[in-house]
């Protein structure tokens, strides 16, 4: 292992924690955490040691897909609870989609009150470094978005042939995930596009004075794309402005939910494939907000919306695109297992997790190709 890789692995051991431990609790969901530990490591004790040992095998892993959990919902703003997504989705993947195999890097260590280091004063950063790393002079970041970008930058520098599958958390997390991905691919001479499934455009410049959040992350990654039109959005249906506003203002391409429902997934996919070929795109990143799906399939989320896609619509589009272009990075966002906007209780969580796991499994397998 090179000195650069050793330094990166030391950063991983400090800035991350074992899978499912990203939500800082004492006893809450202890049984669920223990269940995941047993599935991953065959035991519930000494998991921190086993996880750190596993990090040393990353380079030799047969899997290109690498899971990273970011259990933060500080960048959300409607119904909270997406911080539990990484724990619950991992367990659902293991139970229901065992063919989707990936190396699990663990979870970002999240202080739940923080979003990005740029919003903090020096005294707060020092206190948080002391809390996370027992070192008030640590060189490591303390906020989930900042840690995620730093870890992903190091990951792509050391393992350019692997791809991250991020599990959130609210959609602000896709900002560091996609930014690091786009920078790395650009430096490697690759032309990339973002395939974005969502009920919402996420194209605000800021929300209540905060520029990095679940409703604005797309705006701030446009500069890293070959062209703004290489952000291609599917499933939009909840917007205060028409499609023409977003496309003319930002230069993105959108395929609203009603268009997909009316025209069919294959027709829309064919149009997108033609665009990607015309733009000489080499690789794709897929960011999937679970609320792209109709609320009957995904009600355990912060902002469920009616009139959305079925899981089959989404998969049909993804299958068609993946047949033509490699998917080398992806994420699944906004699954909030304890959130019950549907008033039907546990069933809503189980349905949302089942459908999210199906799509996640496809994306993990695509990265592994």
């Amino acid at each position: 292992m090179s000195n650069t890789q050793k330094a990166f692995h030391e950063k991983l051991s400090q800035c991350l924690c074992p899978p499912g431990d990203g939500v800082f609790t004492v006893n809450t969901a202890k049984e669920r955490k223990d269940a995941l530990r047993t599935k991953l490591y065959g035991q519930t004790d000494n998991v921190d040691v086993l996880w750190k040992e596993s990090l040393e095998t990353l380079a030799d892993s047969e899997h290109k897909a690498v899971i990273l959990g970011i259990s933060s919902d500080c960048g959300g703003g409607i119904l909270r609870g997406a911080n539990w997504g990484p724990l619950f989705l991992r367990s659902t993947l293991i139970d229901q989609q065992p063919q989707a195999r990936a190396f699990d890097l663990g979870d970002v260590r999240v202080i739940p009150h923080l979003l990005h280091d740029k919003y903090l004063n020096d005294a707060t950063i020092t206190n948080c470094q002391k809390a996370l790393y027992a070192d008030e002079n640590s060189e490591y970041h303390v906020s989930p978005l900042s840690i995620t970008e730093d870890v992903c930058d190091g990951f792509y520098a050391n393992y350019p042939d692997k791809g991250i599958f991020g599990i959130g958390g609210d959609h602000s997390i896709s900002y560091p995930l996609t930014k690091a991905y786009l920078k790395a691919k650009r430096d490697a001479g690759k032309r990339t596009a973002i395939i974005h499934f969502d009920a919402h455009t996420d194209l605000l410049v800021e929300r209540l004075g905060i520029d990095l959040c679940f409703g604005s992350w797309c705006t701030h990654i446009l500069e890293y794309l070959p062209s703004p039109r290489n952000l291609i959005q599917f499933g939009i249906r909840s917007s205060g402005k028409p499609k023409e506003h977003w496309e003319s203002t930002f230069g993105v391409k959108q395929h609203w939910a009603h268009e997909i429902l009316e025209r069919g997934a294959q027709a829309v996919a064919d149009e997108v494939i033609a665009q990607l070929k015309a733009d000489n795109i080499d690789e794709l990143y897929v960011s999937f907000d679970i609320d792209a799906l109709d609320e009957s399939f995904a009600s355990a989320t912060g902002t469920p919306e009616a009139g959305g896609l079925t899981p089959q619509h989404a998969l049909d589009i993804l299958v068609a695109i993946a047949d033509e272009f490699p998917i080398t990075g992806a994420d699944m966002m906004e699954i909030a297992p304890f959130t019950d906007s549907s008033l039907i209780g546990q069933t809503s969580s189980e349905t949302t997790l089942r459908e999210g796991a199906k799509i996640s499994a496809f994306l993990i397998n695509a990265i592994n190709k």
Side-chain angles (χ1 to χ4, degrees), residues 75-76 78 169-175 178 194-204 213-219 221 231-239 241 243 246 252-261 268 285-295 298 301-310 313-315 317-318 331-335 359 363:
I78 311 298
D170 76 75
H171 220 154
S172 68
I173 294 160
S174 290
Y175 170 75
T178 56
I194 302 292
I195 302 298
H196 173 211
F197 285 82
D198 206 316
H200 315 91
T201 67
D202 294 359
L203 284 168
L204 299 176
C213 70
F214 72 137
S216 64
W217 71 273
C218 282
T219 307
I221 56 96
L231 173 64
I232 307 174
Q233 301 183 310
F234 300 85
I236 307 298
R237 58 193 183 280
S238 179
S239 170
K241 298 182 185 298
K243 173 181 175 179
W246 302 110
V252 302
K253 297 294 291 184
Q254 294 182 339
H255 301 274
W256 283 41
H258 74 86
E259 300 173 49
I260 298 170
L261 297 175
V268 173
Y285 183 105
V286 176
S287 182
F288 203 104
D289 187 324
I290 198 65
D291 68 31
L293 302 183
D294 185 79
E295 62 183 359
T301 187
T303 52
E305 304 282 359
L309 308 180
T310 68
H313 283 123
L315 285 169
I317 291 170
L318 288 171
D331 62 55
M332 176 60 68
M333 296 292 153
E334 299 282 0
I335 294 178
I359 294 166
L363 294 171

Side-chain angles (χ1 to χ4, degrees), residues 31 63 201 262 321:
E31 293 79 8
H63 308 302
T201 67
E262 293 163 5
I321 292 175

Side-chain angles (χ1 to χ4, degrees), residues 79-93:
L79 296 175
R80 297 298 182 91
N83 56 324
W84 289 104
L87 171 62
F88 280 68
L89 183 58
R90 276 188 178 96
S91 290
T92 306
L93 280 166

Side-chain angles (χ1 to χ4, degrees), residues 333-352:
M333 296 292 153
E334 299 282 0
I335 294 178
F338 293 143
T339 300
D340 180 23
S341 60
S342 67
L343 302 179
I344 58 175
Q346 185 176 352
T347 303
S348 67
S349 177
E350 292 173 349
T351 301
T352 305

Side-chain angles (χ1 to χ4, degrees), residues 163-229:
I164 290 174
F165 179 73
I167 306 176
D170 76 75
H171 220 154
S172 68
I173 294 160
S174 290
Y175 170 75
L177 288 171
T178 56
K179 181 180 176 184
Y181 172 91
L182 293 171
K183 289 187 299 182
K185 297 302 181 181
R186 182 182 61 190
D187 291 347
K190 302 290 187 180
R191 291 179 61 83
T192 51
I194 302 292
I195 302 298
H196 173 211
F197 285 82
D198 206 316
H200 315 91
T201 67
D202 294 359
L203 284 168
L204 299 176
V205 176
E206 62 178 33
R207 186 175 188 269
L208 300 175
I210 301 299
D211 61 340
L212 297 179
C213 70
F214 72 137
S216 64
W217 71 273
C218 282
T219 307
H220 301 291
I221 56 96
L222 292 177
E223 65 181 287
Y224 301 100
L225 286 160
S227 166
R229 69 186 251 114

Side-chain angles (χ1 to χ4, degrees), residues 69-127:
I70 310 96
S71 301
S72 171
D73 65 358
C74 192
I78 311 298
L79 296 175
R80 297 298 182 91
N83 56 324
W84 289 104
L87 171 62
F88 280 68
L89 183 58
R90 276 188 178 96
S91 290
T92 306
L93 280 166
I94 292 170
D95 291 340
Q96 299 181 15
Q97 303 291 332
Q99 81 287 355
R101 304 293 301 278
F103 184 94
D104 202 321
L105 206 58
D107 284 354
V108 168
R109 298 182 69 193
V110 172
I111 296 177
H113 328 296
L114 307 185
L115 183 59
H116 193 284
D117 281 12
K118 72 177 183 176
Y119 299 129
L120 305 178
N121 60 32
D122 290 341
T124 300
I125 290 175
T126 296
N127 282 338

